[in-house]
Every structure is written in C-alpha cells, then in structure tokens.
Amino acid sequence: MSSGALDPTRYIQHHMLNLPLNVKSGASEFNGFWTLHLDTMFFSVLLGALFLITFRIVAKRATSGVPGKMQCLVETLVEFADNQVKETFHGHNPLIAPLALTIFVWVFLMNFMDLIPVDLLPWLAGMAGIHYLRVVPTTDMNLTFAMSISVFILVIYYSFKVKGVWGFSKEIISHPFGPWLFFFNVPLRFVDELAKPISLALRLFGNMFAGELIFILIAALLPWWIQWAPGVVWALFHILIISLQAFIFMMLTIVYLSMAHEGH
Amino acid sequence: MGFNITLIGQMITFILFVAITMKYVWPHIIQALQERQDTIAEGLAAAERGNHELELAQHKSTSMLREAKIKAAEIIDQANKRAAQIIEQAKDDGRVEGERMLEMARSDIAQEQEAAREQLRQEVAGIAVAGAERILGQQIDQAANNSMIEQLITEVSSD
C-alpha cells in the first residue's frame, strides 16, 4: 500500500480501520458490539508477553550479586516504578507497584509500535492476505478504556475497602461543601470520579492517535523523496511523547489509587 | 471506531498481565534489589569499620613508636650515665691503686733505706773496729768497747 496507489483520503481512512472479527459469526467483518479488534488484541498480547517473558526470565535469574546488562535494565525500570509509588503512595498495598510497572512498560511498548514505519507491518500483512491492520494498540480506544476502567474499578474497590461503605458514603455526601449541601456534593463527586477514567483513557488515546495520524499524513500527502525529513523530526519528537504518555498513565494511576487510600 | 467486545478482552488481558507481574516478576526482582542493597550496606559498614580500625592501629603504632623512642633515649641516657659512673669508678680505683702502690714503693724504699743504713752501720762499725784494732795494735776487750763503739755508730749513723 504505497501512497501513490490510493488517493490520500482513502489511504488515511484505510489506515484508521482495525482488523475486525465478528465473534458471533467468526467472519472478518464489523458487527457492532460483537466485533473484536484482532490487531489490537494481537499486538497488545504480543507486546505484553514480550514484557512478561523478558522480565520473568530476568526475575528467575536475578542475582543479588553483580547484575548483567539485562538485569540492570529491568532493575532500573522496577526501581523507577517502585520509587514513583513510594513517593506518592504512603500506605501498604502490594498491588500498586507491580500495577504501575506493568502499565508503564506495557503502554510504552505499545506506544513504541508507533515508531515502526506506518506502512511496513500493514504491507507485510497485506502480502499475507490481511488487508486491515493497525499496529499501535494504544490508538484503539477499547484498549485505553479497558485499562482506565480497570484502574477505576480498583479505585472504587479500595475506596470502599479502606474507608468502609459508611466512611466512603459520608465522604461523598459531605465533601467538599458539608453534609447540608449533599445535593450539590454528590453529583460533583460523581463527575469528579467519572472524569478520572475518561480523561486517563482519552489522554493516551488522543496523543497516540494524533501521533499516528501525523505519520500517516506524512506518508499520504508528501512525495516519497521528502517524507524522511518530517518523518525523522516527528519520530524524534514522538519518542518523547510515547515515554511521557506511558509515564503519565502510570503516575495518574498511582495518584488515583493513593487518593482512594487517603481521605480528602 | 466505537466500543466493542475488544474492551472486555483488553480488560481481561490487562488484569492477567498485572497479576502475572505481581506474582512472578515483582517479588523476585525486588528481593534481589533488597539483598544487593543489604550487601552493599554491609560492605560499606565493613569498610568504615576497617578504616576506623586502621586509624586506631595508626594511632597505636604512632604512640608505640613514640614510647619506644622515649625508652630508647632513656636507655641511652642510662647507659651514658653508667659509662660515666664506670669511668669515674675506674679513675677512683686507679687513683687508690696508684696511691697504694706509691705507698708500697715508699715503704719499700724506706725499708731498703733502713736495711742499707743498718748494713752501712754494721760495716762502719766493722771498719771502725778494724781501724781501731789496727791503730791500737792489740786486742781490746770486745765487751768493754762495744758500748763505746755502739755510741760511735749511733753518732755516725745520726749524721
């Protein structure tokens, strides 16, 4: 699929479509809610497995003596996540740090797919007979919302667990304006809480989607002999964005969970 | 676009990944880190202790050296004193011995003198008697003259 073969609009639209699977019929077609994005699932699981297998191998071989290069890298990431959690979260919860590490590394790897030339993998898939492929799982809202909703469920769960049903309800009713203004407090709190998963998911999705779109626009609208110039510039800038977005997602998860553990 | 079953699939995937990280990855690495931290802390503490001990040993050796120097100086001083004493003693001894020998020599000389004088007296007495015999030409009563001769000898010897 080179930029010359299609007109730009169709090229861009084509790149915005996931590889669908109708889970009811088994055919590769869209069917409303019962559609599974095979490409998103495939790449996210592949990258997650890459992350877990690598880290698992290092963890099994982990020595408290002089570490190898790979162990150093893994330890740096683990310590990074651990430090972020320790600085922000002051309770005891064995889930938060591994959760933060998983989010950071997984999201980073998925974002990193954006730096692979936009047409390379779809072209290879096309030769294998697959004509729709989006390689960056974080440009699929289903994935970003899946993560943010999972985090949101954890936030709600820990809010109830730490503060108790009564304590958490009291907090919802009486903050920020005191119990007599509960009719104002409750909807405010609901908006406040709902804004967390939505903003978390949309921030990542928006950044990655826009980033990918720019790469696609460069590939679609510019002649082939100059594409490298804006491509390199945007790729360099994008290295910053993919790391930053992975970090922000991790950091906000930690912040939301620590807010769930502490009173307002 | 839009939400579909992928959302559910991704949630399951996400939860599984987090669970695996939490169970199979995190504890091992954190433990290794903790152990290494402990080892390093121990090593640093040992180094600190070693340094401290070295410092103590240096202090000790310095003070020992100083003591040894003081002791050596004392010994040299004592030896010097002792040597001076010995020399003094030897001088005294020498002087006493010299005096004793001098005394002895003197007394020897005196004895010799006495003996010589006695001999001389005897000889003079003999000569006198012989002289007298010759002059008188006769035997004289030895006993009667002895006292006179004694007197003569005493007169001679007292000269």
Side-chain angles (χ1 to χ4, degrees), chain A residues 33 35 37 40-41 44 48 52 56 59 63-65 71 74-75 95 97 99 102 106 134 142-143 145-146 150, chain B residues 1-7 9-11 13-14 17-18 20-22 24-26 28-30 32-33 35-36:
Chain A
F33 180 75
T35 312
H37 291 162
T40 303
M41 288 302 290
S44 65
L52 286 176
R56 174 64 186 160
T63 163
S64 57
Q71 196 185 336
V74 167
E75 279 178 3
L95 170 69
L99 174 71
T102 312
W106 195 33
R134 292 184 73 193
N142 286 296
L143 182 136
F145 270 95
S150 304
Chain B
M1 275 298 112
F3 293 113
N4 53 40
I5 192 86
T6 312
L7 181 78
Q10 286 296 343
M11 277 176 77
T13 311
F14 180 53
F17 282 171
V18 172
I20 293 169
T21 308
M22 196 177 158
Y24 296 108
V25 173
W26 189 265
H28 292 79
I29 293 169
I30 283 291
L33 281 172
E35 273 169 22
R36 187 172 319 116

Side-chain angles (χ1 to χ4, degrees), chain B residues 133 136-142 145:
Chain B
E133 269 175 0
L136 294 177
Q138 62 183 56
Q139 279 280 282
I140 56 170
D141 182 15
Q142 201 108 30
N145 289 330

Side-chain angles (χ1 to χ4, degrees), chain A residues 97-127:
Chain A
L99 174 71
L101 177 71
T102 312
I103 289 174
F104 180 71
V105 180
W106 195 33
V107 170
F108 177 81
L109 288 174
M110 291 191 288
N111 291 352
F112 190 82
M113 296 300 286
D114 222 356
L115 294 178
I116 295 173
V118 277
D119 275 323
L120 181 63
L121 291 174
W123 178 68
L124 289 173
M127 295 210 301

Side-chain angles (χ1 to χ4, degrees), chain A residues 16-218:
Chain A
M16 293 287 114
L17 285 176
N18 284 96
L19 175 65
L21 174 74
N22 182 343
V23 289
K24 281 194 162 169
S25 69
S28 182
E29 60 187 16
F30 287 94
N31 182 23
F33 180 75
W34 297 107
T35 312
L36 188 67
H37 291 162
L38 277 181
D39 45 6
T40 303
M41 288 302 290
F42 175 75
F43 283 109
S44 65
V45 171
L46 180 76
L47 293 166
L50 180 74
F51 151 60
L52 286 176
I53 290 168
T54 310
F55 274 52
R56 174 64 186 160
I57 289 170
V58 172
K60 262 190 121 174
R61 281 208 226 123
T63 163
S64 57
V66 180
K69 286 194 179 96
M70 200 62 211
Q71 196 185 336
C72 271
L73 173 69
V74 167
E75 279 178 3
T76 308
L77 288 166
V78 168
E79 268 197 315
F80 168 69
D82 199 36
N83 285 339
Q84 296 302 332
V85 173
K86 274 184 189 150
E87 275 170 25
T88 313
F89 176 68
H90 300 296
H92 175 75
N93 189 330
L95 170 69
I96 294 182
L99 174 71
L101 177 71
T102 312
I103 289 174
F104 180 71
V105 180
W106 195 33
V107 170
F108 177 81
L109 288 174
M110 291 191 288
N111 291 352
F112 190 82
M113 296 300 286
D114 222 356
L115 294 178
I116 295 173
V118 277
D119 275 323
L120 181 63
L121 291 174
W123 178 68
L124 289 173
M127 295 210 301
I130 298 165
H131 295 294
Y132 293 96
L133 192 70
R134 292 184 73 193
V135 297
V136 190
T138 39
T139 56
D140 187 343
M141 271 208 285
N142 286 296
L143 182 136
T144 60
F145 270 95
M147 290 178 78
S148 74
I149 289 169
S150 304
V151 170
F152 180 63
I153 291 168
L154 279 177
V155 168
I156 299 298
Y157 168 72
Y158 281 116
S159 293
F160 277 116
K161 193 186 170 199
V162 172
K163 296 165 190 166
V165 176
W166 173 236
F168 188 44
S169 308
K170 206 170 78 176
E171 192 182 293
I172 292 174
I173 290 166
S174 59
H175 283 90
F177 296 123
W180 296 110
L181 285 169
F182 71 91
F183 54 87
F184 200 75
N185 291 336
V186 173
L188 201 66
R189 182 58 182 258
F190 268 81
V191 170
D192 189 26
E193 291 294 332
L194 283 176
K196 286 176 186 175
I198 293 171
S199 67
L200 197 57
L202 285 181
R203 182 181 300 108
L204 179 60
F205 164 74
N207 272 283
M208 297 323 296
F209 187 84
E212 198 200 20
L213 196 61
I214 301 239
F215 279 121
I216 293 170
L217 284 175
I218 290 169

